[in-house]
Amino acid sequence: MATEQLGEIVIAPRVLEKIIAIATAKVDGVYSFANKSMSDNLAKRSLGRGVYLHTASDGEVTVDIYLYLEYGVGVPAVAVAIQKAVKSAVSDMAEVELSAVNIHVAGIVPEKTPKPDLKDLFDEDFLND
């Protein structure tokens, strides 16, 4: 943590969503993200596609991650690996402590389905909004 404060630092929720999404996608066994509901598919309400941040009135930040896993992986082991990777990445890069990382497995993808490339998971142009 920085010892000298030169001014205010504000990290947009979208930045945290991207950090969380990339950390999640890099865990072995993760296939892709899923939206929480069909309306999210149509409305683009979740900027991180499958990553939903919540900030409580007391300042606690939690995240819900909706995703598909590859066939044959140990679901609990992959979920714990995601939780550890996400907490570590957000803490290291943004100095934000997540109070909970909730994993929602929407499905398992058959072995012969080609895995999407990491860059395809984030096809929107981050800087042009």
Side-chain angles (χ1 to χ4, degrees):
M1 188 160 239
T3 56
E4 182 181 359
Q5 189 73 18
L6 301 175
E8 186 177 31
I9 298 172
V10 177
I11 299 173
R14 186 166 187 171
V15 172
L16 295 178
E17 288 178 351
K18 291 297 179 181
I19 292 169
I20 292 165
I22 292 169
T24 299
K26 289 184 174 186
V27 173
D28 286 337
V30 172
Y31 178 79
S32 67
F33 293 94
N35 281 322
K36 184 167 51 171
S37 67
M38 182 56 83
S39 63
D40 287 350
N41 287 337
L42 302 173
K44 258 191 139 180
R45 282 192 343 209
S46 172
L47 300 172
R49 287 194 210 157
V51 177
Y52 299 83
L53 282 176
H54 310 281
T55 305
S57 58
D58 63 0
E60 281 197 352
V61 180
T62 61
V63 63
D64 287 278
I65 303 170
Y66 291 78
L67 45 73
Y68 292 95
L69 297 181
E70 296 171 353
Y71 176 80
V73 300
V75 174
V78 173
V80 168
I82 293 167
Q83 289 172 322
K84 289 179 180 177
V86 165
K87 276 193 148 208
S88 176
V90 172
S91 177
D92 292 348
M93 290 186 229
E95 293 186 3
V96 172
E97 295 304 319
L98 297 173
S99 60
V101 178
N102 304 310
I103 307 299
H104 304 269
V105 179
I108 301 291
V109 178
E111 293 178 78
K112 295 185 180 184
T113 307
K115 186 172 181 175
D117 195 41
L118 183 61
K119 68 179 170 73
D120 293 336
L121 296 174
F122 311 104
D123 61 357
E124 62 202 56
D125 189 355
F126 188 81
L127 300 174
N128 289 336
D129 306 316

